[in-house]
Structure formats: structure tokens, C-alpha cells
Amino acid sequence: QVQLVESGGNLVQSGGSLRLSCATSGFTFSSYAMYWIRQPAGKGFEWVSYISSGGGSVQYADSVKGRFTISRDNAKNMLALQMNTLKSEDTAVYYCCKPVVTFRRYNFANAPPPRADFDSCGLGTQVTVSS
């Protein structure tokens, strides 16, 4: 079955950095675009970043653009998110998610993928940024 396991979350001071990882199994990782999403406590989910199946195309939410970098290693079935210059508003549970279909075109600026477009996400990893 599909499994996604996030790791790397921690408590960090504002301005600090963290690197999240996601180990995947149970599906053909290299065939799927992949996503990071996050959910602050008591709030809805927010799409954070996208990477194409081959890794050549990436997209970021405006709130993290220039600070976060998504990457993948198809040989190891791993997804990563490097987060720099963290802010208190980045505090959330972060999830890596597999979409229902291998690829779907989105207008990321105006209409990012809805939660229903993901059929599997991990249990998440907590990122807490103290100000």
C-alpha cells in the first residue's frame, strides 16, 4: 500500500532553517508529481510547493517563495523541502502528499490544488518557529 513518512520537523528560532524529508513506498514515485502542504493549528490546509515527476518544474506558494526549496530523489523515492529564513507564520504540521493522478495542470497562483486532489498524505511532521 502507499506509504509516505515525513521527518525533520522541529522547534527552531525565527530566521533558522530546517530540512524536511519524506520517504515513500507502494507506488511508482517517479511517475507522480509530488506536493508539500501544511496545516497550522486550528486552520485549513495550505498548499506549499509542487515538483514535477522528473524534478524539472517546481512551484511555490507566495508565502514561501524565495525561502523554501523542494527537491526529489527518484532513485531513492524521497521528497525533500529545504526551509530557510523561517518565520513564526510557518508554524504548522507539514505533509507530503501524492496526487490522485500523475499530473494535473493547475493555475498555482490563483487556483492551487484542492485537498481532494491528493489521495495519500503522510502523518505529517510538526514545524514550530519561535519568534
Side-chain angles (χ1 to χ4, degrees):
Q1 71 276 22
V2 174
Q3 288 192 326
L4 303 102
V5 181
E6 303 92 342
S7 62
N10 211 332
L11 171 64
V12 63
Q13 287 190 334
S14 180
S17 298
L18 283 174
R19 183 176 179 84
L20 306 185
S21 296
C22 176
T24 75
S25 62
F27 66 106
T28 307
F29 179 74
S30 60
S31 294
Y32 284 83
M34 291 294 293
Y35 299 81
W36 285 99
I37 67 172
R38 67 186 181 186
Q39 187 165 21
K43 299 184 180 180
F45 99 96
E46 176 187 10
W47 165 76
V48 174
S49 186
Y50 151 91
I51 187 167
S52 61
S53 59
S57 178
V58 298
Q59 296 284 342
Y60 301 95
D62 286 345
S63 57
V64 307
K65 198 172 294 183
R67 300 187 296 120
F68 289 13
T69 303
I70 190 172
S71 62
R72 66 190 296 159
D73 184 337
N74 284 347
K76 297 181 178 180
N77 296 335
M78 294 286 294
L79 184 70
L81 186 69
Q82 178 66 41
M83 307 187 297
N84 298 330
T85 319
L86 283 162
K87 305 176 181 180
S88 57
E89 51 262 45
D90 295 320
T91 296
V93 179
Y94 284 71
Y95 302 88
C96 70
C97 295
K98 169 191 169 293
V100 174
V101 297
T102 56
F103 173 76
R104 178 169 289 169
R105 191 176 302 278
Y106 296 103
N107 181 338
F108 287 101
N110 299 314
R115 180 63 180 86
D117 281 9
F118 306 118
D119 61 3
S120 298
C121 296
L123 295 179
T125 187
Q126 176 71 49
V127 172
T128 303
V129 184
S130 63
S131 55

